[in-house]
Amino acid sequence: MTAVVRIDGPLSPMDDQVGPGWDPSSGGLSPSEGTLHSTDESLLENAEVSYVNDDVEELTDELRHQFGLFPDEEQELSAALKAFGHGAKTFDQARLERLATDRQATSEHVFSFETFAKKNGFEAKFSSEILSRPLLSTNDKVSRKVAPRIFQAIQRFMEHNGEVITRLENRPKTSVMNRVCQSMNPTFPKGSSSTSSSSSSSSSSSPSSVSSFSLISETKNLGLDSHNSGDRSPATPDSSRSSFSDLTGTGSDPDDPDAIPRAEMDLVHYIIAHGIIRPRLRDEIVCQLCCQVTDNPSPKSRERGWMLLALCAGCFLPSNELIDHYFAFLHNAPAQVSDFARYIMVVLRRTNANGIRYHPPSWIELQAVKLRRYPVLQVELADGRVIPVESDPATSAWEMCLSTASAVGVKDHFGFSIYVGAQRKISSLGSGSDHVMDAICECEQMLRVDEGIGEERSPWRIFFQKEMFTPWHDPDVDHESTNLVYRQILGGIRRGEYALLPEEVPKVAARIFYIEHGHKVNFDLISSKIDDYLPKMMLADPKSRDHLVRSVLTAFETRGYSVGILNAQQVKGQVVSVATNLWPLNFSAMFEALRHSGPPLASSDVILAVNGDGVFILDGHFKILLGFHYYDLVDCFVGSENDPKRSTVGFVALDGNQFRFLTPSASIVHRIVSVYLEGLRRRSRWAVALQSFQLQDYTGGSGDDFRLMQGDIVEMVDEGRRRHRPLHPSWLYGRCERTRVEGSFPSDVVYVLPTIDRPDDCFLSVFLSMEVDQMKSLPSNAKTDLILSSGTTGRHLANALDSFA
């Protein structure tokens, strides 16, 4: 169960806009808009926490079966996807629920913030003075150095002494997050923008124009320290004092890592980035803010302090020592800011459930807190629709996928992902636990640093698209899902993202014309409409264009579309099925990795691409170095799963070669590939005899004598087509290709191939030359429950519709 902030009431018109807006009908990546949910009452005052079942309770077992995911497969894949980027909860969720809802649990005389302050030797009240040392004692030199600077940044943001926050033209050339990382870790790359060139790619370098969110990975791997808030021994006064120039950060270079910013957005990033990167500073930041909003003589300054507390709550949590006192402080907030306090208690629970952020708040989050509203993000679909999705600082890609799928009626939502794009770059956020607001923040900073576009004009956009398929995907089971994927494919072909071989163009175009225009298609119609479906460069030459139009018309007529027998929805499903075969890399989940062991590759820095066809090893330019179809793989294993920095995923090939790759996503890759391998074996009709076997029927009741030799290919027979019953409930029943005889045999004498379709003879001939020891090393089918009834899940032929026509 995942906590999701739900807001009662219908969506209102988009009259509170964050950003200049964009035209959904325009092509390319144009400016994005974030809309604030607006109702008569403050949403912060009416915030409620409800729960959404991550396993989609409304799906019955029968419906799950139709979708091709059995309950155990669905649970394993969901766990794998949600595990990506998701650390362990800091607190037991029930404890935070109790602290938020039961005021007696934080009795003021026991857990007041004043009690905590007194215990730690500072006064819990507003101060207009410069802080010369941390409020909380620590032996950590970095914390002693940084804490006074953070305090001055807080004073500056709260407009202490009437200081006005400005939008300076001379803003730093690097992101604040980058500079804070550099300041706190000297090995962090200097002068880099918010996205490194090594991990960002233009539309020409990747088959799907996908780039990664680099700083998310970089801040994950900093490893500066752990949240050990118990390490608080008294500090030496002399060592903790800094000069006035050190505190003010008045250097002329705005890119100086130690300089305190002056622009409002930069101040937010400066304060919260320190808490994200260095857990020991989180309590210090929260305590400084609690002090500055207590007895603050300026109502405006006090409100801006509560804004910072709200923004911090969406990015990190206080420690176990402070959490009870912090909730007591929130329960006793003045009436003027009680809505802020309630909001913070909601967001703290959400942050605990979904994990800390890897980036400071985005500009849209700052505006939402100012207006005391929850932001509603606009999610674009491939068919042109734009779906408003409620969000908060902790919203994950998984939650946004579920919300979007539910809004448009997509039940088979596996493989759909959230993409975030800006300036003709688009990056997959996946469908896991990574935070959507982190991606938006990085887009904002990338555009500000690289393009000079301010956060308030940042043209990011959010998309809901299909990223990967199961190997047994059946497009007929969920028409809404298939419609979206078809539109995605249509747009990708037109933009040239999905490259067609010359011989495939007429066939694919014929299907599209049948779907879009029915069976009454002629030369003139194709000639006038073909520009809507194929890339311009393919149609630039008049002679080639005329030839292509004639080829499409010929394919349309020869494949039977002119008869009008087929339903357009069936042909859409056919286009989707063909796409999974033509463009497997465009429908892949990709994971960065390093080669750990195994036969040498052309590059050690690789990308693992997992899709419905198999596992492919790519170099940095997305060139295939090595590929395994699932029937090529015998096993997938994982090592050092509890240590992300040393975790490896390995693959055992049929030829005996083993490859291991070092990747933080090892357990995710392992789970997905293992579910795919086991799922294919469940659904497979094809097996290879591991040893000789002979069944002689002396009663005459079970048919002819059934014999198998090592390497024989066996096709399992569905229950409704069997000539005889298996002799034992645990035995299998099939037809030997060599003898064409049907019979029963024990499940452990065959190796069930993880495939839906029969592999080619060249591959199958490998088993004939295998040594006995190699055969014995293959996993038998003793523990796999095969599905061999009529109408089995995922049994569809990619060319069945054409064959029928």
Side-chain angles (χ1 to χ4, degrees):
M1 306 288 282
T2 299
V4 180
V5 176
R6 294 291 184 191
I7 309 303
D8 294 328
L11 291 173
S12 61
M14 305 177 203
D15 41 5
D16 289 323
Q17 294 186 355
V18 181
W22 48 265
D23 180 7
S25 63
S26 62
L29 294 178
S30 56
S32 172
E33 148 187 79
T35 304
L36 300 182
H37 189 130
S38 177
T39 59
D40 293 337
E41 296 182 288
S42 170
L43 295 182
L44 301 185
E45 296 175 357
N46 298 318
E48 296 180 0
V49 177
S50 61
Y51 294 90
V52 173
N53 191 328
D54 288 338
D55 292 328
V56 194
E57 287 180 334
E58 63 268 22
L59 296 187
T60 63
D61 288 341
E62 181 181 1
L63 200 55
R64 284 194 179 99
H65 180 88
Q66 289 178 344
F67 287 161
L69 286 177
F70 293 92
D72 58 329
E73 295 170 343
E74 181 187 15
Q75 182 178 1
E76 188 69 12
L77 286 175
S78 296
L81 294 174
K82 288 185 288 184
F84 187 66
H86 193 7
K89 291 181 175 63
T90 304
F91 301 104
D92 177 66
Q93 195 71 9
R95 178 186 176 189
L96 294 194
E97 296 289 344
R98 181 176 57 85
L99 290 175
T101 57
D102 182 7
R103 186 163 184 162
Q104 296 301 318
T106 57
S107 177
E108 185 176 0
H109 69 279
V110 178
F111 292 113
S112 70
F113 181 67
E114 289 76 8
T115 302
F116 181 85
K118 184 176 181 180
K119 178 182 177 182
N120 285 273
F122 65 90
E123 288 188 90
K125 66 176 184 179
F126 171 81
S127 173
S128 60
E129 303 297 324
I130 292 176
L131 187 69
S132 61
R133 56 184 295 168
L135 296 179
L136 302 174
S137 298
T138 177
N139 284 330
D140 181 56
K141 294 181 179 179
V142 174
S143 297
R144 292 202 301 267
K145 173 185 175 183
V146 171
R149 293 189 176 126
I150 294 174
F151 186 76
Q152 187 183 357
I154 289 172
Q155 288 181 315
R156 185 170 289 173
F157 180 87
M158 294 176 65
E159 300 184 353
H160 173 60
N161 288 335
E163 182 177 5
V164 179
I165 302 299
T166 60
R167 295 174 180 265
L168 296 178
E169 295 295 329
N170 185 29
R171 291 182 68 186
K173 297 181 177 63
T174 56
S175 71
V176 175
M177 185 72 172
N178 186 283
R179 298 201 322 276
V180 170
C181 290
Q182 179 186 334
S183 173
M184 303 184 74
N185 182 7
T187 63
F188 192 82
K190 296 182 179 181
S192 60
S193 63
S194 60
T195 50
S196 64
S197 59
S198 63
S199 60
S200 294
S201 61
S202 65
S203 58
S204 61
S205 63
S206 162
S208 55
S209 304
V210 174
S211 61
S212 62
F213 290 101
S214 58
L215 269 189
I216 292 178
S217 301
E218 288 171 347
T219 53
K220 282 181 184 178
N221 296 329
L222 276 177
L224 290 171
D225 62 12
S226 59
H227 195 165
N228 182 13
S229 50
D231 181 18
R232 288 188 180 134
S233 53
T236 305
D238 292 340
S239 64
S240 64
R241 294 187 179 275
S242 305
S243 66
F244 182 80
S245 60
D246 289 336
L247 295 179
T248 56
T250 54
S252 59
D253 182 7
D255 286 293
D256 179 0
D258 292 330
I260 299 174
R262 292 188 177 275
E264 181 180 55
M265 197 73 239
D266 291 345
L267 283 169
V268 171
H269 281 204
Y270 182 84
I271 295 163
I272 296 179
H274 280 95
I276 291 173
I277 295 171
R278 201 167 189 86
R280 292 180 182 179
L281 284 170
R282 293 171 188 170
D283 282 2
E284 177 71 25
I285 294 169
V286 172
C287 287
Q288 288 184 12
L289 285 169
C290 289
C291 288
Q292 291 305 98
V293 299
T294 301
D295 299 329
N296 190 319
S298 168
K300 181 180 179 181
S301 176
R302 181 174 63 245
E303 181 171 326
R304 291 182 65 82
W306 278 97
M307 285 168 49
L308 274 178
L309 280 172
L311 292 169
C312 287
C315 293
F316 57 78
L317 297 164
S319 70
N320 185 60
E321 286 80 3
L322 179 58
I323 190 68
D324 295 287
H325 301 275
Y326 189 35
F327 269 93
F329 177 82
L330 297 173
H331 278 301
N332 291 284
Q336 304 93 316
V337 291
S338 59
D339 53 351
F340 269 119
R342 286 193 292 272
Y343 169 81
I344 291 170
M345 286 190 278
V346 170
V347 174
L348 285 172
R349 286 174 281 171
R350 293 276 292 133
T351 302
N352 186 64
N354 283 7
I356 65 164
R357 293 268 295 272
Y358 295 113
H359 280 272
S362 62
W363 185 83
I364 189 175
E365 292 174 82
L366 176 59
Q367 305 312 307
V369 168
K370 283 182 178 180
L371 296 173
R372 306 190 183 191
R373 300 286 187 266
Y374 285 96
V376 173
L377 302 178
Q378 308 300 312
V379 181
E380 299 182 48
L381 307 184
D383 60 6
R385 284 180 289 173
V386 180
I387 307 300
V389 178
E390 289 178 347
S391 64
D392 66 12
T395 297
S396 67
W398 170 261
E399 292 169 344
M400 183 161 282
C401 278
L402 281 184
S403 297
T404 307
S406 176
V408 298
V410 170
K411 295 184 175 63
D412 184 14
H413 58 79
F414 173 78
F416 279 94
S417 294
I418 297 298
Y419 288 76
V420 179
Q423 297 295 81
R424 303 205 63 80
K425 292 182 180 179
I426 182 169
S427 298
S428 170
L429 201 59
S431 57
S433 296
D434 277 328
H435 296 87
V436 176
M437 291 297 181
D438 274 343
I440 292 173
C441 176
E442 183 166 358
C443 280
E444 290 178 351
Q445 295 309 304
M446 177 189 71
L447 291 168
R448 183 183 72 79
V449 172
D450 297 343
E451 307 292 338
I453 301 173
E455 291 92 343
E456 71 279 6
R457 296 182 293 109
S458 185
W460 50 263
R461 294 166 71 182
I462 300 176
F463 305 90
F464 177 71
Q465 292 190 351
K466 191 75 168 179
E467 183 172 24
M468 65 186 302
F469 295 90
T470 59
W472 50 86
H473 176 76
D474 189 340
D476 292 330
V477 299
D478 186 354
H479 289 173
E480 190 61 41
S481 171
T482 298
N483 291 341
L484 282 179
V485 178
Y486 165 73
R487 288 295 167 187
Q488 177 181 332
I489 293 168
L490 194 60
I493 293 174
R494 185 176 63 252
R495 293 188 296 269
E497 294 174 7
Y498 302 152
L500 284 166
L501 296 174
E503 62 269 20
E504 295 291 341
V505 175
K507 293 185 288 186
V508 172
R511 295 184 182 106
I512 293 173
F513 270 95
Y514 183 77
I515 295 167
E516 300 297 324
H517 303 284
H519 68 282
K520 295 181 179 180
V521 171
N522 54 40
F523 182 90
D524 292 337
L525 177 62
I526 296 175
S527 181
S528 63
K529 294 292 185 181
I530 197 168
D531 296 89
D532 296 340
Y533 310 123
L534 295 180
K536 292 181 179 179
M537 60 180 298
M538 193 179 290
L539 306 168
D541 180 59
K543 291 183 178 180
S544 299
R545 176 193 178 92
D546 185 73
H547 175 72
L548 180 57
V549 171
R550 296 185 185 279
S551 299
V552 172
L553 181 60
T554 300
F556 190 91
E557 293 173 344
T558 56
R559 302 180 85 81
Y561 296 136
S562 58
V563 180
I565 297 176
L566 296 176
N567 181 281
Q569 188 65 44
Q570 291 177 301
V571 185
K572 280 185 183 180
Q574 186 183 4
V575 171
V576 172
S577 295
V578 169
T580 63
N581 296 323
L582 291 180
W583 306 295
L585 290 185
N586 291 81
F587 295 101
S588 302
M590 298 190 180
F591 307 89
E592 294 180 347
L594 288 171
R595 175 185 165 275
H596 182 273
S597 62
L601 298 173
S603 174
S604 295
D605 295 326
V606 298
I607 297 170
L608 303 180
V610 181
N611 54 53
D613 270 13
V615 180
F616 297 87
I617 317 302
L618 316 177
D619 64 11
H621 300 287
F622 294 89
K623 178 183 177 181
I624 298 178
L625 304 176
L626 184 67
F628 300 104
H629 292 289
Y630 287 112
Y631 55 72
D632 290 322
L633 294 176
V634 176
D635 193 19
C636 177
F637 60 91
V638 66
S640 303
E641 190 172 2
N642 295 327
D643 185 356
K645 293 184 179 180
R646 298 182 180 180
S647 60
T648 59
V649 62
F651 306 100
V652 181
L654 193 63
D655 59 9
N657 283 325
Q658 292 192 21
F659 293 85
R660 293 180 68 185
F661 298 93
L662 185 69
T663 171
S665 308
S667 63
I668 302 163
V669 176
H670 170 254
R671 283 183 173 185
I672 295 174
V673 174
S674 296
V675 170
Y676 281 4
L677 285 173
E678 186 66 14
L680 283 168
R681 291 190 179 107
R682 280 181 166 184
R683 296 159 174 83
S684 178
R685 305 177 68 90
W686 305 99
V688 178
L690 297 174
Q691 62 191 59
S692 297
F693 172 77
Q694 181 175 359
L695 175 66
Q696 291 182 331
D697 180 19
Y698 296 102
T699 66
S702 62
D704 300 325
D705 290 349
F706 183 74
R707 300 167 182 261
L708 291 176
M709 296 178 60
Q710 177 185 320
D712 272 349
I713 308 303
V714 182
E715 180 183 4
M716 262 76 76
V717 179
D718 285 347
E719 293 173 356
R721 296 168 51 201
R722 294 174 181 174
R723 295 171 55 191
H724 313 286
R725 291 184 178 180
L727 295 181
H728 191 277
S730 65
W731 283 27
L732 301 177
Y733 186 93
R735 180 187 299 108
C736 176
E737 282 195 350
R738 178 178 55 84
T739 64
R740 298 182 181 277
V741 175
E742 294 183 13
S744 301
F745 51 92
S747 59
D748 59 358
V749 303
V750 297
Y751 169 63
V752 176
L753 297 169
T755 181
I756 296 296
D757 301 318
R758 183 187 186 278
D760 58 44
D761 291 332
C762 181
F763 169 79
L764 293 173
S765 64
V766 172
F767 294 95
L768 295 174
S769 58
M770 272 191 178
E771 300 291 338
V772 175
D773 290 344
Q774 286 181 286
M775 280 288 191
K776 290 181 178 180
S777 67
L778 296 176
S780 69
N781 194 57
K783 296 182 179 180
T784 301
D785 297 325
L786 295 187
I787 309 160
L788 296 171
S789 59
S790 58
T792 299
T793 299
R795 297 273 171 79
H796 65 277
L797 302 176
N799 298 317
L801 296 175
D802 278 346
S803 301
F804 174 75

